[in-house]
Amino acid sequence: MLDLLILSIWLMLPAYIANPAAALLGGGSPIDMGKNFTDNKRILGDGKTIRGFVLGSLCGAIIGLIQIWLAPSIAPYLAAYISQGILLHASYMALFTMPVGALLGDMIKSFFKRRLGFERGAMMPVADQLDFVLGAWVLTYFLDGAWFMSNFNFAVILTIILITPVLHLATNFIGFKIGRKDVPW
Ligand code: CTP
Ligand code: MG
């Protein structure tokens, strides 16, 4: 159980880091350049900035790179019941697709939030918590399907779907408390 939990967080870390890193380091020009969509509402809104996207992705990739370096020494202690090779098969492609996919997923969600009339920062349960998981998985699946399939088995996927909302809400609450987020979700 604990192995599965640690493994799931380990695999998702580059994607998990991207969001709070974007919140901490974001700001400046919004990706949609302040423009409205055909419904006269913002395309994405001020919560999606170029700096947040770039620096968030970069932080996720750097964490992933550190993980690839650490993996050979950590793998023997993890997930003995899965395959020993699981963490040793590194993917440099995933360093890119996990954080970038995460923030793309977050961005696509904002697009639909605006279309549905949610203001920037408004809570949208489930979508707010799993958007970046789905984005990371879809992009990774398409660009390094072999790595995705060898790491994300059913148990891992289920664990991630269950723990991500909890981790996400906890992170956002901390972000709110330290004044980096306007709302605690
Ligand atoms: N952020 C950013 N650039 C991104 C993603 C996030 O600058 N690409 C920053 C913004 O300051 C944003 C904060 O991280 O307000 C929190 O992100 P999120 O909760 O995803 O955005 P919201 O402000 O809630 O906007 P939305 O309603 O569109 O989800
Ligand atoms: Mg939000």
Side-chain angles (χ1 to χ4, degrees):
M1 259 318 256
L2 189 65
D3 278 359
L4 187 59
L5 199 66
I6 295 170
L7 177 68
S8 300
I9 294 173
W10 179 267
L11 288 172
M12 288 304 287
L13 207 56
Y16 282 161
I17 292 297
N19 246 338
L24 280 175
L25 307 171
S29 302
I31 295 169
D32 67 8
M33 294 294 172
K35 290 195 172 61
N36 285 350
F37 195 61
T38 51
D39 54 9
N40 287 323
K41 293 189 180 93
R42 285 289 294 276
I43 303 175
L44 300 172
D46 286 330
K48 306 297 122 157
T49 67
I50 299 172
R51 204 167 76 210
F53 190 85
V54 172
L55 295 181
S57 301
L58 208 61
C59 285
I62 291 169
I63 292 293
L65 198 59
I66 295 171
Q67 287 179 275
I68 289 181
W69 286 331
L70 292 178
S73 43
I74 285 175
Y77 302 101
L78 267 184
Y81 62 94
I82 307 181
S83 94
Q84 277 285 326
I86 196 164
L87 292 169
L88 294 171
H89 169 63
S91 165
Y92 289 96
M93 178 56 92
L95 287 187
F96 165 80
T97 59
M98 291 295 282
V100 171
L103 290 174
L104 279 178
D106 173 60
M107 216 168 93
I108 293 168
K109 174 215 62 186
S110 289
F111 176 79
F112 287 108
K113 262 174 103 171
R114 298 299 91 80
R115 305 290 73 75
L116 292 169
F118 288 84
E119 297 293 334
R120 174 243 174 127
M123 177 171 34
M124 192 172 170
V126 187
D128 274 338
Q129 283 87 47
L130 292 176
D131 54 357
F132 64 97
V133 172
L134 203 64
W137 284 349
V138 169
L139 194 66
T140 304
Y141 180 79
F142 279 113
L143 294 182
D144 195 348
W147 184 80
F148 182 86
M149 295 305 278
S150 70
N151 285 294
F152 292 88
N153 61 28
F154 180 74
V156 172
I157 286 179
L158 192 67
T159 306
I160 291 165
I161 290 175
L162 292 175
I163 63 170
T164 300
V166 181
L167 291 173
H168 188 77
L169 287 168
T171 312
N172 285 349
F173 188 72
I174 295 169
F176 172 69
K177 280 288 173 199
I178 63 170
R180 292 301 312 189
K181 269 188 73 84
D182 299 334
V183 289
W185 53 80

